[in-house]
Amino acid sequence: MSRKFFVGGNWKMNGTKKVADDLLGNLMKGSLDPNVDVLIGVPALYLDYVKEKSSCCIKVAAQNCYKVEKGAFTGEISPAMLKDIGVDWVILGHSERRQIFQETDLLIAEKVNHALQSGLSVVACIGETLDEREAGQTESVVAKQIKAIHEKICNWDNVVIAYEPVWAIGTGKTASPQQAQEVHKILRKWLADEVSEAVSQKTRIIYGGSVTAANCKDLAKECDIDGFLVGGASLKPEFVDIINAKQ
Ligand code: PGA
């Protein structure tokens, strides 16, 4: 089954309105491969602004949201609020949320479930640390993370899985195409064994961690790599080349 290539840019806590204008301008004037789903993960404060300014072929995502609709949760935003301003996507479980903000597998799974129930689509991030990789635990760590999500959700239709080895994020150390493919294949098999063959075949599994214009084409050749989640390079003009990596 062919899966539509999916490239997300995660701006993280970067940008101003001016920067957003420049990044959007660059995307909208670039000739983007129409066979690619393009998403940008925007700081919450700028979601409305970017949503208003971007063209319909660019999906706009929040970088986080909470696990309930409303209430006394100072500082949080809910899926209902995202829907209210026309945002249909959210990135959840990013390693910075896991590590810096101590989000657990359970909390992330609850967030994914509530976001899906609220009608959002989700980029769900998983990945091992360097210590875990060196201890030979990559497979068990990603299986534990994906299982936690599976236990909370009823349907994988609106989920894109982002495999992002923590040691590759923002470090300039990209996983080699073989290293990434190996884990993507493990994840696809996990979906086939634990969910269904159909879900395994149709769910996009994208790679993140120091993806650049220079390395994206080789990564994109691997059969289980269905796109990218891009941090640093999504703030640069080369993001267009990464979107077009399959061309
Ligand atoms: P990076 O970040 O491309 O800067 O390594 C990826 C991510 O955090 O999603």
Side-chain angles (χ1 to χ4, degrees):
M1 176 192 275
S2 76
R3 293 174 292 270
K4 190 171 184 190
F5 208 66
F6 184 106
V7 177
N10 177 7
W11 293 2
K12 309 193 180 183
M13 197 177 72
N14 291 297
T16 57
K17 284 186 179 177
K18 166 80 176 64
V19 169
D21 287 344
D22 292 347
L23 292 171
L24 278 177
N26 183 53
L27 276 181
M28 293 193 299
K29 79 170 191 290
S31 62
L32 307 182
D33 183 342
N35 299 313
V36 179
D37 281 333
V38 178
L39 170 136
I40 46 177
V42 175
L45 197 57
Y46 299 126
L47 281 167
D48 204 16
Y49 181 78
V50 169
K51 180 79 200 151
E52 289 297 316
K53 291 212 157 192
S54 63
S55 67
C56 59
C57 61
I58 298 171
K59 302 177 202 306
V60 176
Q63 299 171 7
N64 184 31
C65 63
Y66 198 49
K67 63 175 181 175
V68 295
E69 183 191 343
K70 62 182 176 183
F73 302 101
T74 303
E76 293 294 316
I77 57 173
S78 74
M81 292 169 178
L82 295 173
K83 291 293 288 181
D84 188 41
I85 62 163
V87 168
D88 293 323
W89 282 82
V90 63
I91 299 169
L92 291 171
H94 190 279
S95 71
E96 286 147 19
R97 300 296 320 171
R98 292 175 186 266
Q99 301 210 310
I100 303 170
F101 301 101
Q102 272 99 52
E103 292 193 6
T104 60
D105 285 347
L106 177 62
L107 175 61
I108 291 159
E110 289 171 343
K111 287 182 174 197
V112 173
N113 179 49
H114 180 64
L116 293 173
Q117 299 284 344
S118 308
L120 292 178
S121 296
V122 175
V123 177
C125 307
I126 59 177
E128 82 288 0
T129 64
L130 185 58
D131 284 352
E132 289 163 343
R133 173 162 282 260
E134 287 177 345
Q137 294 166 348
T138 300
E139 183 167 349
S140 61
V141 169
V142 295
K144 181 169 128 316
Q145 292 169 331
I146 197 172
K147 180 168 183 276
I149 294 170
H150 180 54
E151 282 171 354
K152 289 285 167 199
I153 70 175
C154 324
N155 189 322
W156 282 85
D157 281 354
N158 296 319
V159 182
V160 170
I161 297 169
Y163 168 59
E164 299 204 294
V166 180
W167 49 271
I169 294 179
T171 57
K173 284 189 207 150
T174 324
S176 68
Q178 296 70 27
Q179 282 174 319
Q181 166 60 24
E182 191 184 2
V183 181
H184 284 229
K185 193 172 166 196
I186 287 169
L187 289 168
R188 202 169 304 287
K189 181 166 184 319
W190 191 93
L191 289 172
D193 293 346
E194 306 296 329
V195 188
S196 72
E197 185 59 32
V199 167
S200 162
Q201 286 308 312
K202 77 177 178 209
T203 302
R204 269 101 43 107
I205 306 176
I206 64 176
Y207 167 79
S210 297
V211 176
T212 64
N215 58 32
C216 63
K217 285 200 162 64
D218 284 339
L219 286 158
K221 284 184 194 138
E222 298 294 334
C223 62
D224 288 303
I225 298 183
D226 304 316
F228 304 116
L229 186 58
V230 185
S234 73
L235 299 166
K236 299 180 187 163
E238 70 182 272
F239 188 50
V240 170
D241 301 321
I242 299 173
I243 291 167
N244 295 336
K246 275 280 198 196
Q247 280 183 337

